[in-house]
């Protein structure tokens, strides 16, 4: 088991878990809860737009520098997803960190996306399907929340009983780091996370793993109950 950042070399043949708590994979989890059937994860806004030109029935979701591009249907917000009518929809999602993390893993034995919202289900899926395979956990952000989620998931996979309170505290620490960074920006460039945090901190609300299928220029996530 290894916990690494985005600059690490990812070995081929591992089970790779890509972590983005604030907010990409929390947004994806809420979208699946709302009835989305699949999410095409684009590593850039440009690839996301190209995919929608090819697949015009898809909704385009995500952010650039934390904010929703004007031509996207939704931002990278679990709060926004929670109020959307999405039953039977398929999405294209593009974000600055989480989707790039998925794109860095061309030859995994299995590829999963995780946030605190589905961390327990992800551990169960790995234990049921690849218990003997080496596992690499990629923290896509530099702030505390992804590393707290990785530590929690590692504990579950190792058979210990990590404390949810510690994970939530790590997420809140990460949110405070984000807030300090945004405070340095002009008001028009700041991101308000206040409505999203309760979704990001809702540990194990979703009882499914988000399993990736690597395509030529993107990864498709599917919801797998477990």
């Amino acid at each position: 088991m290894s916990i690494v950042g985005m600059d690490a070399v990812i070995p081929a043949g591992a089970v790779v878990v890509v972590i983005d708590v604030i907010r990409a994979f929390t947004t994806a989890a809420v979208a699946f809860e709302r009835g989305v059937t699949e999410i095409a994860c684009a590593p850039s806004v440009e690839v996301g737009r190209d995919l929608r030109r090819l697949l015009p029935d898809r909704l385009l979701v995500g952010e650039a520098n934390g904010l929703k591009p004007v031509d996207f249907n939704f931002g990278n917000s679990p709060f926004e997803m929670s109020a959307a009518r999405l039953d039977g929809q398929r999405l294209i999602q593009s974000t600055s960190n989480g989707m790039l993390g998925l794109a860095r893993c061309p030859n995994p034995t299995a590829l999963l996306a995780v946030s605190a919202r589905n961390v327990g289900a992800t551990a169960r899926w790995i234990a049921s399907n690849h218990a003997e395979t080496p596992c690499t956990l990629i923290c896509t952000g530099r702030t505390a929340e992804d590393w707290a989620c990785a530590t929690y998931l590692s504990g579950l996979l190792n058979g210990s009983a990590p404390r949810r309170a510690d994970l939530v505290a790590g997420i809140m620490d990460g949110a405070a780091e984000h807030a300090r960074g945004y405070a340095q920006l002009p008001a028009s460039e700041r991101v308000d996370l206040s409505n999203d945090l309760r979704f990001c901190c809702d540990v194990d609300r979703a009882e499914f793993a988000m399993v990736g299928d690597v395509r030529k220029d993107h990864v498709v996530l599917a919801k797998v109950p477990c």
Side-chain angles (χ1 to χ4, degrees):
M1 180 88 59
S2 58
I3 299 174
V4 301
M6 284 280 273
D7 55 351
V9 176
I10 309 303
V15 171
V16 180
V17 183
V18 182
I19 302 166
D20 190 327
V21 176
I22 302 176
R23 296 167 289 169
F25 296 141
T26 302
T27 299
V30 173
F32 279 127
E33 291 168 27
R34 297 292 294 170
V36 163
T37 58
E38 71 173 37
I39 301 175
C41 299
S44 70
V45 168
E46 291 74 20
V47 171
R49 289 173 175 143
D50 289 344
L51 283 173
R52 186 162 67 171
R53 280 189 281 271
L54 292 172
L55 305 165
D57 61 320
R58 308 289 177 95
L59 297 174
L60 192 51
V61 175
E63 51 82 15
N65 297 318
L67 300 172
K68 181 178 85 69
V70 293
D71 57 333
F72 278 39
N73 299 99
F74 298 99
N76 185 39
S77 167
F79 172 73
E80 191 177 2
M81 288 290 103
S82 73
R85 299 180 64 179
L86 297 172
D87 195 49
Q89 295 279 2
R90 292 180 289 180
L91 304 185
I92 299 165
Q93 187 178 12
S94 174
T95 70
S96 302
N97 289 324
M99 307 304 139
L100 283 176
L102 290 173
R104 294 193 63 245
C105 309
N107 297 299
T109 292
L111 179 62
L112 299 103
V114 70
S115 66
R117 201 168 181 89
N118 73 326
V119 64
T122 302
R124 292 193 295 274
W125 189 92
I126 294 170
S128 296
N129 293 277
H130 295 284
E132 304 304 319
T133 306
C135 192
T136 299
L137 313 182
I138 302 177
C139 299
T140 60
R142 298 180 183 274
T143 43
E145 72 278 2
D146 290 349
W147 299 87
C149 189
T151 300
Y152 187 91
L153 177 56
S154 177
L156 293 177
L157 293 171
N158 287 328
S160 64
R163 290 172 11 107
R164 290 190 181 193
D166 292 339
L167 174 51
V168 172
I171 296 168
M172 296 306 295
D173 287 345
E177 292 180 70
H178 284 287
R180 288 192 291 272
Y182 291 135
Q184 308 303 314
L185 300 175
S188 62
E189 298 176 19
R190 295 174 191 168
V191 179
D192 181 3
L193 298 175
S194 57
N195 288 325
D196 292 323
L197 276 180
R198 64 186 175 93
F199 296 91
C200 297
C201 291
D202 198 357
V203 179
D204 287 338
R205 169 68 63 176
E207 296 187 349
F208 53 81
M210 296 188 292
V211 182
D213 179 22
V214 179
R215 306 289 175 87
K216 179 181 178 182
D217 59 354
H218 64 286
V219 170
V220 175
L221 291 180
K223 169 185 172 181
V224 181
C226 50

